[in-house]
Amino acid sequence: MMGHATDISRESAARKRILNTATNLFYAEGVHAVGIDRIIAEAGVAKATFYKYFPAKDELVRAYIQEQSRQGRAMTDKIIGRSARESILAIFDLVADAATQPGYRGCPFLNAAAEYPDPSHPVRQAIAEHRLWKHDLLRDLLVADRNAHAETTADILTVASDGLLITSHLDKPTNLRRLIRETVLQILGVPDK
Amino acid sequence: MMGHATDISRESAARKRILNTATNLFYAEGVHAVGIDRIIAEAGVAKATFYKYFPAKDELVRAYIQEQSRQGRAMTDKIIGRSARESILAIFDLVADAATQPGYRGCPFLNAAAEYPDPSHPVRQAIAEHRLWKHDLLRDLLVADRNAHAETTADILTVASDGLLITSHLDKPTNLRRLIRETVLQILGVPDK
DNA sequence: TGTCTAGTAGACAAACCTGTCTGCTTTCAA
DNA sequence: TTGAAAGCAGACAGGTTTGTCTACTAGACA
C-alpha cells in the first residue's frame, strides 16, 4: 500500500538509461567534455526527464562515481575468498583485467578527481569515500596476513595500485601482469620463492 | 643583422605573461575549466596578441606542458650529483617538496592527461615525452647503481612515483616523507641496516 | 469515464566558449 | 620624420553550455 511499484530515483528505466549512457561517455571522453544535450540524445530521453532525476549535472557525475564504486565493490566481493595473501593478489589482478580491456582509459576515479579541484566538492568526496574503503580493505587483509605494519603497508599498496593504473594507461608496458606481480610481491615480501 | 633583438615566440614579455598566467590557472583549476578570455584578462594582454603567439588554445596547453617539463628537468639537473642511489632518493624528495607546497594539486602531467583522451593528441605526446625522459633517467641511474634488473626496476620506480604523487594529493597521508623513503628503499633493496 | 504519473519534444534564456577582425597607441630605428 | 612592428581594446560571429518551461502523449488505475 506504500510505494509498491515505482519508488522514484531507483528503478526507473529512463534513469538507468541516462546513467548508463553518461557512464560510457564520461569515462571515454571526460566529464567536462561531455554535455547534457549529448547524454539525453544518446540515451533517447527528454530533457525534462533528465532534470527530474538529476537536478544538476554534478549530481549525475556524483551518481556516476558512486555507481563505479558500487560495481568495484561487487567485483571485489566476488574474488575474495581463499587466503588473505591470495585475495590481495586477486585485487591487483583486477587492475590487469581492466587495463587489458578494449576501451581502457585509466582509473575513472583518478580521471574524475583531476577535473574537480575543490576537495570539498561532492564528487571529490564520493571519490574519497571509495579510496578510503579500498585502503581499509587492504589494511584488513594485511592484518589477516599477519603483516607487522599493516597500516603502512596498506599505504604502500595504495601507492602501487594508483601507480599501476596510471602506468598501464599512459605507458602501456609490455608484460603488465608480470610488472604487477613483481611490484606487489616486493611490497608484501616474498614468502619462500 | 639577422634576428638580433626579437626572435618572436621566445623572448616576448607578453608571451611570457600569457604562459605564466595560463600555467597558474591550468594547474589550479584544470585545462578545460579555464577559458581564453580569463587568461588574457589576468595576463593583461590583448586577444590579438594571444592569438599571435598561440594560434589555438591547444598550442598554449602544449606549451604549458613543455614548460613544466623543462622546469622539471632543470630541477632534476640541480639535485643530481653524488652517488646514483642518493640521486634517486633526491628525485623522490622532489615529490615531497612539491606535495608540501601550498597550492599543491597533484601532478600537472597526470592531471592534463586525464583531460585529453586521444593518445595521439599533441598534448598527450608532450606528456609521453616527459614520462619517457624520466623513465630513462631512472633506468640509467639504476644501471650506475649496479642494479641487476634496471629496466624492470625503473618501471616499478615509475609506478611508485605516480602513485606517490596521487596519494599525496588525494589522501594527504601523515608522514609523507617517511612513506616515500620506505617505498623507495623497499624497491631498491636496503643495502645494510 | 476521469485522473494521475511518466515520459517525449522542443523552444527559450543567459551565459560562456573559441577565434577573427577592425582601430588605435606606443616604441624604436633608419 | 617616416614607417614598421608590437601591443592594447573591444566588437563580433557562430557555436555550445546548463537549466527552465510549455505543450503534448501513453498507460495505469479506480
Side-chain angles (χ1 to χ4, degrees):
Chain A
M1 237 55 145
M2 24 161 54
H4 52 107
T6 49
D7 226 333
I8 223 183
S9 94
R10 271 294 159 263
E11 44 216 315
S12 150
R15 186 184 188 276
K16 273 181 193 157
R17 237 157 51 227
I18 294 168
L19 188 48
N20 209 58
T21 306
T23 296
N24 294 334
L25 290 176
F26 284 164
Y27 179 69
E29 305 184 20
V31 172
H32 288 352
V34 176
I36 300 290
D37 282 350
R38 176 119 173 265
I39 292 170
I40 66 170
E42 294 197 18
V45 138
K47 210 163 201 182
T49 307
F50 174 88
Y51 278 100
K52 180 187 171 192
Y53 289 111
F54 304 98
K57 186 188 177 183
D58 277 352
E59 304 243 355
L60 173 62
V61 180
R62 200 174 105 261
Y64 154 62
I65 292 295
Q66 288 176 332
E67 176 62 16
Q68 290 293 110
S69 178
R70 205 193 55 73
Q71 286 180 23
R73 295 182 201 215
M75 291 268 278
T76 307
D77 284 348
K78 263 185 211 152
I79 58 159
I80 276 184
R82 291 165 293 190
S83 72
R85 173 162 298 227
E86 275 168 1
S87 295
I88 293 173
L89 287 169
I91 288 172
F92 276 84
D93 279 340
L94 288 181
V95 175
D97 294 346
T100 51
Q101 235 159 6
Y104 182 66
R105 214 182 70 78
C107 170
F109 304 103
L110 299 183
N111 287 344
E115 295 201 63
Y116 286 85
D118 179 7
S120 69
H121 190 287
V123 171
R124 278 288 299 272
Q125 289 189 331
I127 293 167
E129 255 175 61
H130 179 80
R131 291 181 67 82
L132 188 60
W133 162 77
K134 187 166 178 182
H135 179 275
D136 288 353
L137 171 68
L138 288 171
R139 185 205 53 208
D140 293 348
L141 286 171
L142 287 166
V143 168
D145 194 43
R146 273 137 182 76
N147 187 295
H149 313 282
E151 198 70 44
T152 300
T153 308
D155 287 347
I156 299 180
L157 281 180
T158 298
V159 167
S161 172
D162 290 335
L164 287 166
L165 286 162
I166 293 281
T167 213
S168 59
H169 174 218
L170 296 183
D171 305 326
K172 303 222 175 303
T174 59
N175 220 330
L176 175 61
R177 293 200 126 88
R178 192 176 138 262
L179 175 61
I180 292 175
R181 215 159 185 86
E182 288 201 17
T183 304
V184 175
L185 288 182
Q186 202 150 9
I187 292 167
L188 294 183
V190 193
D192 37 77
K193 157 98 186 199
Chain B
M1 237 65 142
M2 24 164 49
H4 52 108
T6 50
D7 227 331
I8 222 182
S9 92
R10 271 295 158 260
E11 43 217 314
S12 148
R15 186 184 187 275
K16 273 183 194 157
R17 237 155 54 224
I18 294 168
L19 188 49
N20 207 59
T21 306
T23 295
N24 294 335
L25 291 176
F26 284 162
Y27 179 70
E29 304 185 21
V31 172
H32 288 354
V34 176
I36 299 293
D37 281 350
R38 177 119 173 266
I39 293 169
I40 66 169
E42 295 198 18
V45 138
K47 211 163 200 182
T49 306
F50 173 88
Y51 278 100
K52 179 187 169 190
Y53 289 110
F54 305 99
K57 187 189 178 184
D58 277 351
E59 303 244 356
L60 172 63
V61 180
R62 201 174 105 259
Y64 155 62
I65 292 296
Q66 289 177 332
E67 177 62 18
Q68 290 293 110
S69 177
R70 204 192 56 72
Q71 285 179 25
R73 296 182 200 215
M75 291 267 278
T76 308
D77 283 349
K78 263 186 211 151
I79 58 159
I80 277 186
R82 291 165 292 191
S83 73
R85 173 161 297 227
E86 275 169 359
S87 295
I88 293 173
L89 287 169
I91 288 172
F92 276 83
D93 279 339
L94 287 181
V95 175
D97 294 345
T100 50
Q101 233 158 8
Y104 182 65
R105 213 183 70 79
C107 170
F109 303 103
L110 299 182
N111 287 344
E115 294 201 63
Y116 285 86
D118 179 7
S120 69
H121 191 289
V123 171
R124 278 288 298 273
Q125 290 190 330
I127 293 167
E129 252 174 64
H130 179 82
R131 291 181 67 81
L132 188 60
W133 162 78
K134 187 167 176 181
H135 178 276
D136 289 354
L137 170 69
L138 288 171
R139 185 205 52 207
D140 293 348
L141 286 171
L142 287 166
V143 168
D145 196 42
R146 271 136 183 76
N147 187 295
H149 313 284
E151 197 70 44
T152 301
T153 308
D155 287 347
I156 299 181
L157 281 180
T158 298
V159 167
S161 172
D162 290 335
L164 287 165
L165 286 161
I166 294 280
T167 214
S168 60
H169 174 217
L170 296 182
D171 305 325
K172 302 223 176 302
T174 58
N175 218 333
L176 176 62
R177 290 201 127 87
R178 192 175 137 264
L179 176 61
I180 292 175
R181 218 162 180 84
E182 288 202 17
T183 304
V184 176
L185 289 182
Q186 203 150 7
I187 292 168
L188 293 183
V190 192
D192 39 77
K193 162 100 186 189

